[in-house]
Amino acid sequence: MFFSKKKKAAEIDLLHLPKHIGVIMDGNGRWAKKRGLPRSAGHSAGAESLKKIVTEANNLGVKYITVYAFSTENWKRPKEEVDFLMNLLLDYLRNAEKTLSGENVVIRAIGSRKELSKEIQEQIVKTEEFTKNNTGIVMNIALNYGGREEITNAARELSKKAVSGEIKPDDINDEMLSEYLYTKNQPDIDLLIRTSGEQRLSNFMLWQVSYAEMWFTDKLWPDFKPADLHKAIADFQNRGRRFGGI
Ligand code: FPP
């Protein structure tokens, strides 16, 4: 779907965009079921949807987007579905060099890599390297990601430093902890979108969404269009954010 600059400007204040958008892309399975298709078809459609949304967010001028592609809990799904998702991700990372990098997107994978196949691990390094000098939106693909694990890892690293005497336990503050998160040097999420009618965090970016505005829609992820992204951003801009103040 094409949006003229005029329409964008009418709906969204381009000067006050959320800096960092998080997306829980939910509902691929239900989308496929509704059409009598295998769940895998829903995931493929979801991957297409993702390309369009990242491109649109980049065109608008959003600086960071983090998308939940595979959680640490998703390994519990049937092997066939896990294998399909992993292949889709591999393809996505490979193609991203041609498609998303052409759009100037910086691609990063966040999450624990050691459980991923060697092939995916190598492709992540290649794609990150290939896109690292791009100047457009930074896209974090959360892959084998878990929010609790991320915070636990940070606590472990800080404990090691405290034990070695490099830091004092009393000096530990939230800024210091943020340095050990996958999103080091990135702003917190200010707008969190979840599709498919569910209203949960599901272990996604627990630290980074502390002050995020949450935006839920009944639309299933493969049906989520650039117009829906515009609506989420416009709603975000109409909310008064006080960050605990008055
Ligand atoms: C949730 O839908 C979606 C996922 C677990 C995977 C998200 C993956 C994609 C959008 C496509 C692949 C992404 C990349 C980066 C290539 P669900 O399967 O839980 O749907 P359901 O709740 O309707 O069953």
Side-chain angles (χ1 to χ4, degrees):
M1 193 180 295
F2 178 75
F3 287 94
S4 69
K5 282 255 184 300
K6 210 169 160 195
K7 182 142 188 237
K8 264 181 218 165
E11 289 179 357
I12 298 175
D13 175 355
L14 294 174
L15 296 177
H16 296 95
L17 291 167
K19 286 193 191 71
H20 191 164
I21 299 180
V23 191
I24 303 180
M25 310 179 286
D26 200 4
N28 296 344
R30 277 163 282 169
W31 182 92
K33 196 172 174 202
K34 263 172 56 182
R35 288 163 176 75
L37 297 169
R39 291 177 59 81
S40 54
H43 294 313
S44 298
E48 288 309 310
S49 198
L50 179 57
K51 272 186 210 142
K52 288 190 197 123
I53 296 303
V54 171
T55 304
E56 184 65 13
N58 188 35
N59 288 342
L60 284 170
V62 174
K63 299 292 180 212
Y64 297 88
I65 188 164
T66 300
V67 297
Y68 211 3
F70 196 88
S71 76
T72 43
E73 288 73 35
N74 285 153
W75 297 107
K76 292 182 207 147
R77 295 189 175 205
K79 184 177 180 306
E80 200 189 342
E81 184 170 345
V82 170
D83 288 349
F84 185 87
L85 275 169
M86 287 297 151
N87 275 325
L88 191 64
L89 280 155
L90 187 59
D91 260 12
Y92 197 90
L93 290 165
R94 274 195 194 125
N95 288 329
E97 294 187 2
K98 287 184 227 101
T99 53
L100 290 172
S101 185
E103 303 276 349
N104 208 13
V105 178
V106 180
I107 298 169
R108 300 181 65 245
I110 63 169
S112 175
R113 296 190 186 179
K114 56 183 190 296
E115 295 82 5
L116 302 171
S117 72
K118 209 158 174 292
E119 206 180 6
I120 294 188
Q121 291 187 38
E122 284 169 5
Q123 186 59 47
I124 289 172
V125 174
K126 264 181 77 181
T127 304
E128 286 186 339
E129 188 59 29
F130 194 84
T131 62
K132 73 174 186 201
N133 293 324
N134 286 344
T135 53
I137 196 168
V138 174
M139 175 194 198
N140 298 315
I141 304 180
L143 183 48
N144 195 27
Y145 172 88
R148 285 187 172 184
E149 187 192 52
E150 180 180 32
I151 297 169
T152 308
N153 285 343
R156 190 181 305 111
E157 292 309 313
L158 286 171
S159 311
K160 284 184 197 162
K161 287 205 157 189
V163 168
S164 72
E166 236 179 293
I167 55 168
K168 294 197 198 101
D170 286 342
D171 290 344
I172 295 174
N173 57 24
D174 63 353
E175 267 172 44
M176 212 185 265
L177 195 141
S178 300
E179 290 285 298
Y180 290 88
L181 301 177
Y182 296 118
T183 50
K184 177 183 171 183
N185 296 331
Q186 297 186 4
D188 279 347
I189 289 182
D190 10 51
L191 170 61
L192 176 71
I193 297 172
R194 183 168 187 154
T195 57
S196 92
E198 310 292 348
Q199 304 195 352
R200 290 187 289 275
L201 283 178
S202 302
N203 206 12
F204 182 64
M205 307 293 274
L206 298 181
W207 181 277
Q208 297 89 339
V209 297
S210 293
Y211 290 99
E213 295 292 330
M214 321 272 241
W215 195 84
F216 302 108
T217 172
D218 286 339
K219 282 211 175 169
L220 305 174
W221 175 249
D223 291 328
F224 190 84
K225 298 285 182 292
D228 301 305
L229 178 70
H230 283 222
K231 193 164 182 302
I233 295 176
D235 281 357
F236 165 85
Q237 292 178 332
N238 285 326
R239 297 188 192 175
R241 302 181 79 205
R242 295 194 299 274
F243 299 95
I246 52 170

